[in-house]
């Protein structure tokens, strides 16, 4: 099977630039768009992508709350990461999720 998807770690997702809790949600939305791109390229099965997207969306919703719950965000992102870890063509997404998880640990 040929997969035409490659995660662009040097693209517009930049967790390193996040300096505050308010900066987190926009970067997570970019990660969500990257999952959608990988799905369109058939790098992630649609059934898996639905669950991954759901986890990231829930993390975004939680991050945008006035008093976000760190553990909930971590749980959502860890669940999403677990779903894509076994997908060889999505290793870059795993790396992006790991960066997001580490960032949540520092920000909250």
């Amino acid at each position: 099977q040929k997969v035409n998807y490659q995660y662009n770690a040097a693209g517009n997702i930049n967790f390193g630039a996040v300096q505050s809790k308010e900066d987190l949600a926009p970067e997570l939305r970019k990660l969500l768009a990257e999952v959608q791109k990988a799905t369109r390229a058939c790098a992630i099965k649609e059934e898996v992508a639905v669950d991954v997207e759901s986890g990231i969306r829930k993390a975004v919703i939680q991050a945008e709350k006035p008093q976000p719950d760190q553990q909930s965000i971590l749980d959502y992102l860890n669940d999403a990461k677990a779903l894509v870890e076994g997908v060889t063509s999505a290793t870059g997404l795993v790396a992006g999720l790991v960066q997001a998880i580490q960032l949540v640990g520092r920000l909250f």
Side-chain angles (χ1 to χ4, degrees):
Q1 176 183 357
K2 184 179 179 189
V3 177
N4 294 322
Y5 168 76
Q6 184 174 350
Y7 176 76
N8 187 2
N12 28 343
I13 302 172
N14 187 359
F15 288 111
V18 174
Q19 299 297 315
S20 69
K21 295 176 187 178
E22 294 76 24
D23 297 337
L24 178 61
E27 294 306 310
L28 290 175
R29 279 196 198 90
K30 292 176 188 176
L31 188 59
L32 180 62
E34 204 55 40
V35 171
Q36 293 165 347
K37 180 179 170 187
T39 306
R40 285 192 302 275
C42 298
I44 300 175
K45 291 181 182 179
E46 287 185 50
E47 295 88 351
V48 173
V50 167
D51 293 333
V52 173
E53 289 177 21
S54 175
I56 296 172
R57 286 180 196 276
K58 289 176 183 178
V60 169
I61 290 167
Q62 187 60 234
E64 290 177 331
K65 290 185 175 185
Q67 297 295 321
D69 178 51
Q70 177 192 29
Q71 191 57 52
S72 292
I73 296 170
L74 290 172
D75 289 346
Y76 296 139
L77 295 176
N78 276 310
D79 289 348
K81 179 177 77 86
L83 289 165
V84 294
E85 276 181 320
V87 181
T88 306
S89 56
T91 55
L93 286 174
V94 174
L97 285 161
V98 167
Q99 289 178 344
I101 291 164
Q102 291 171 343
L103 182 62
V104 170
R106 287 194 311 260
L107 287 177
F108 293 88

